[in-house]
């Protein structure tokens, strides 16, 4: 799965301008997370058309890159994430960063940047998890 990362100055209106740029390009965001420092933010976006989103952002003069991430479905209950992370530890997979969101009462999605993502997908599926 491709994730778009946008580098933004930490200034009023910059986030709304990015979301407007994507909306005007017909891009539907399914997830968004922000990591910030005093001067800038990293906006990470999962969307329906990542390549088109990247193009629209570059045309809009935003600094953006596409990154491979792995989205894994887990049970939306206490310990769902712990079970996944313990499995990944057992597979000796290194997680660079991640974020999670609930899609309903029974399901949550964990989006992870995993070193060696292609090989990780097969191992994660073999361990019984659904990779989206």
């Amino acid at each position: 799965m491709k994730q778009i990362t946008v580098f933004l100055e930490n200034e009023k209106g910059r986030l709304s301008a990015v979301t407007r740029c994507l909306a005007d390009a017909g891009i539907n965001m399914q997830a968004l997370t922000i990591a910030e420092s005093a001067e800038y933010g990293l906006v990470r976006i999962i969307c329906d058309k990542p390549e088109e989103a990247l193009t629209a952002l570059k045309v809009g003069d935003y600094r953006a890159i596409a990154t491979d991430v792995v989205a894994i479905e887990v049970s939306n209950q206490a310990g769902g994430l712990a079970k996944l992370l313990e499995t990944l530890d057992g597979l000796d997979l290194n997680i660079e960063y991640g974020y999670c969101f609930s899609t309903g009462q029974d399901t949550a999605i964990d989006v992870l940047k995993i070193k060696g993502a292609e090989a990780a997908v097969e191992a994660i599926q073999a361990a019984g998890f659904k990779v989206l």
Side-chain angles (χ1 to χ4, degrees):
M1 172 177 285
K2 293 285 183 191
Q3 168 194 270
I4 304 299
T5 301
V6 186
F7 303 90
L8 287 180
E9 297 83 11
N10 195 355
E11 297 175 2
K12 182 180 178 184
R14 295 292 290 160
L15 183 59
S16 64
V18 165
T19 60
R20 174 50 54 203
C21 175
L22 293 173
D24 289 349
I27 307 298
N28 183 33
M29 294 186 293
Q30 288 118 5
L32 180 144
T33 185
I34 304 167
E36 56 83 27
S37 71
E39 297 176 8
Y40 68 93
L42 292 175
V43 179
R44 293 185 170 117
I45 300 167
I46 302 292
C47 64
D48 60 344
K49 299 178 272 187
E51 295 303 322
E52 289 178 34
L54 194 59
T55 299
L57 290 165
K58 289 189 178 189
V59 167
D61 204 27
Y62 293 98
R63 293 184 337 176
I65 60 170
T67 304
D68 288 324
V69 294
V70 181
I72 306 160
E73 187 175 286
V74 298
S75 176
N76 189 13
Q77 64 182 11
L81 177 59
K83 181 179 176 185
L84 171 62
L85 294 178
E86 290 164 352
T87 300
L88 296 178
D89 285 346
L91 294 170
D92 199 31
L93 295 172
N94 184 37
I95 300 168
E96 296 179 23
Y97 64 81
Y99 48 97
C100 310
F101 57 95
S102 174
T103 60
Q105 192 168 355
D106 298 327
T107 306
I109 306 297
D110 299 317
V111 178
L112 305 172
K113 171 77 167 78
I114 302 173
K115 188 170 185 170
E118 286 185 25
V121 167
E122 289 182 27
I124 293 165
Q125 289 173 325
F129 290 93
K130 181 178 179 181
V131 176
L132 305 175

